[in-house]
Amino acid sequence: MKQIKTSSPLHGEITIPGDKSISHRSIMFGALAKGTTSVHHFLNGADCLSTIGCFRQMGIDIQQETDGRILVQGKGIHGLTAPSGTLNVGNSGTTTRLISGILSAQSFTSFLSGDDSLNSRPMGRIIRPLSMMGARIESLSGNDCAPLMIQGQPCLHGIRYESPVASAQVKSAILLAGLYANSPTTILEPSLSRNHTELMLSQFGAVLHTTLLESGEAESTISPCDELYAQDIFVPGDISSAAYFIGAALLVPGSEVLIQNVGINDTRAGILKVCKSMGADITYMNQKDGAGEPTADLLVRHSSLTGTCIEGSIIPTLIDEIPMIAVLAAFADGTTIIRDAAELKVKETDRIQTVTENLRAMGADITPTDDGMIIHGGKPLAGATIHPHMDHRIAMAFAVAGLAAQGETHIQEEQCVDVSYPGFFEMLSGLTR
Ligand code: S3P
């Protein structure tokens, strides 16, 4: 259990670990490319290590250099070999869904399984479109969840798929299977989800393009591909991890924190827009555009926040940050409404429920809804015992709440932060020294 006390002002400069989504993709695409892919600032979190473990099991040599770089010895698009046992995807939805697109087209059968949370998350959303492409995927428990058996099919066919959800994991699974199809594959999503797959696959030599339609929908098409080419990948700091330090600096009076080299890709940076609309003092410095993934240093100062409304196409760009945003809303003056976010129910936990349970424990006025929550902010919050239910983002968001609440907060199962942010608590306490 981690004890958090009301904090003195936070001061300092920090560098956030590498982006989780981009780190996963660098391993996967590196494995499928010819040659050595070198990954700088890779996230050594448990989820990304699950991805490394799976590709090692399929014959890919992946080593960490003394300077921290990861070297992936790619074997080409048809170079994976049959794993000797079940692929362990741990807690990682990204590993599971993206790898399923790849495994659908291999010349071998594979089995994959994860922890209890992972094995209860919906996989029908990828099983359906991949099956339309000719894949053979079976949910071994018969409930559209992992464990999955994937019998690779050497000849997939291109489809045009209208996804009911804006999900980068679904989109990426389909695009990766599309690399192996015999004709182009198109996915239409209700609004644009994070586009790291499109940006990085293009960098590796795949041919794909995305069109934003007048309706607000986004359409991405990938052409079949014979070869991907190894790359040097520079992973920016993860904005989803930076979110907790942005939140802490905004909430604790007197704070001023510089967060260096954060990825600010538009399809991820919704939290910055929301913070701005709540009155946050955040300055972008040193903006760069590295291989399609823009970055900036963010200077964040304590601010008085007001409630806001978050809905529609911005939701996929901040879906993982909603626990942190909900905490900000509880300390803000006025009401915050979050809607169109039913996807929260199928994350590592049902985050509508886990945010509500824990904010109520601290004394906040929050009403859960079918697709979000309503928070009447400004009530003083008191320290409480927080139950993350092994969800890393709940543990971190409520550690920040504990810094701004009166009294002591106890975060249970604090080790769950290792999924995306080993060293989180040390970095947080380092800013108050
Ligand atoms: C991710 C996409 C998002 C996000 C997850 C990582 C990715 O999930 O919540 O943490 O790397 O593609 P969905 O695509 O299912 O919304």
Side-chain angles (χ1 to χ4, degrees):
M1 191 158 67
K2 193 82 192 170
Q3 194 183 58
I4 308 278
K5 292 186 179 150
T6 314
S7 181
S8 51
L10 280 70
H11 283 286
E13 295 184 14
I14 52 172
T15 302
I16 297 290
D19 185 280
K20 183 155 80 70
S21 294
I22 297 175
S23 294
H24 280 298
R25 287 158 172 81
S26 67
I27 301 298
M28 295 185 183
F29 306 169
L32 300 180
K34 269 240 159 83
T36 304
T37 287
S38 164
V39 188
H40 305 254
H41 202 48
F42 178 81
L43 170 63
N44 271 309
D47 269 12
C48 298
L49 298 179
S50 295
T51 291
I52 288 188
C54 290
F55 280 90
R56 281 190 177 140
Q57 265 187 273
M58 292 190 284
I60 302 298
D61 180 15
I62 304 170
Q63 301 296 340
Q64 185 140 31
E65 298 289 277
T66 44
D67 63 4
R69 269 179 320 141
I70 300 278
L71 298 184
V72 185
Q73 308 296 342
K75 288 191 170 173
I77 198 156
H78 298 290
L80 300 179
T81 50
S84 51
T86 299
L87 295 169
N88 180 5
V89 292
N91 190 245
S92 176
T94 306
T95 310
T96 311
R97 297 200 176 101
L98 270 60
I99 216 173
S100 295
I102 297 169
L103 295 176
S104 293
Q106 301 305 311
S107 57
F108 50 80
T109 295
S110 36
F111 294 85
L112 49 88
S113 185
D115 65 14
D116 288 348
S117 154
L118 186 283
N119 286 351
S120 64
R121 295 179 67 184
M123 294 300 151
R125 54 179 57 198
I126 53 154
I127 295 175
R128 276 185 293 279
L130 292 174
S131 301
M132 286 165 64
M133 297 178 78
R136 291 182 63 188
I137 308 181
E138 194 183 327
S139 158
L140 295 175
S141 321
N143 57 356
D144 271 358
C145 296
L148 301 177
M149 175 173 74
I150 304 182
Q151 292 172 272
Q153 301 297 311
C155 193
L156 299 180
H157 42 264
I159 55 168
R160 179 184 161 79
Y161 182 68
E162 292 189 19
S163 175
V165 283
S167 160
Q169 295 183 356
V170 172
K171 172 172 65 178
S172 303
I174 295 170
L175 293 175
L176 285 166
L179 286 172
Y180 296 89
N182 59 5
S183 58
T185 298
T186 297
I187 164 148
L188 187 74
E189 41 179 359
S191 62
L192 184 63
S193 63
R194 64 189 67 191
N195 63 356
H196 307 303
T197 294
E198 296 91 306
L199 295 175
M200 201 191 289
L201 266 185
S202 298
Q203 193 186 338
F204 273 84
V207 177
L208 46 75
H209 59 266
T210 299
T211 314
L212 297 178
L213 308 181
E214 261 173 39
S215 58
E217 294 161 299
E219 188 178 84
S220 299
T221 299
I222 190 158
S223 301
C225 176
D226 292 328
E227 200 97 273
L228 296 174
Y229 303 95
Q231 298 294 316
D232 262 10
I233 303 290
F234 294 83
V235 182
D238 194 327
I239 189 160
S240 299
S241 300
Y244 308 107
F245 293 90
I246 295 171
L250 291 175
L251 289 182
V252 177
S255 298
E256 180 171 311
V257 176
L258 182 67
I259 312 172
Q260 285 162 336
N261 192 37
V262 181
I264 54 163
N265 177 324
D266 250 357
T267 64
R268 288 290 298 285
I271 185 173
L272 296 175
K273 290 185 191 148
V274 165
C275 285
K276 204 158 181 225
S277 77
M278 296 177 85
D281 180 351
I282 302 179
T283 309
Y284 290 38
M285 297 160 68
N286 198 19
Q287 286 198 45
K288 290 186 194 141
D289 194 352
E293 290 287 357
T295 59
D297 299 342
L298 304 175
L299 179 64
V300 188
R301 296 193 183 94
H302 168 254
S303 309
S304 299
L305 301 178
T306 50
T308 189
C309 181
I310 309 167
E311 61 187 337
S313 61
I314 198 169
I315 293 290
T317 74
L318 49 67
I319 189 75
D320 290 343
E321 289 67 75
I322 289 180
M324 187 62 245
I325 292 172
V327 167
L328 292 177
F331 284 98
D333 274 341
T335 298
T336 294
I337 299 174
I338 301 174
R339 50 168 89 98
D340 302 324
E343 279 294 294
L344 289 172
K345 294 179 186 167
V346 292
K347 296 299 176 187
E348 286 82 333
T349 55
D350 174 343
R351 288 184 178 154
I352 296 181
Q353 215 172 73
T354 44
V355 165
T356 302
E357 171 192 335
N358 287 302
L359 268 184
R360 279 190 178 154
M362 298 184 91
D365 179 348
I366 172 168
T367 306
T369 63
D370 250 8
D371 65 348
M373 54 196 83
I374 300 168
I375 298 164
H376 297 294
K379 278 181 77 179
L381 298 202
T385 298
I386 299 300
H387 299 278
H389 301 282
M390 292 302 285
D391 184 335
H392 56 134
R393 302 214 183 277
I394 299 296
M396 291 188 275
F398 282 86
V400 172
L403 298 177
Q406 290 306 312
E408 274 185 17
T409 294
H410 298 104
I411 312 282
Q412 301 215 313
E413 306 159 345
E414 80 273 14
Q415 74 285 359
C416 67
V417 304
D418 290 352
V419 157
S420 64
Y421 205 146
F424 168 76
F425 289 107
E426 293 73 16
M427 194 170 273
L428 196 58
S429 58
L431 288 174
T432 53
R433 266 180 223 128

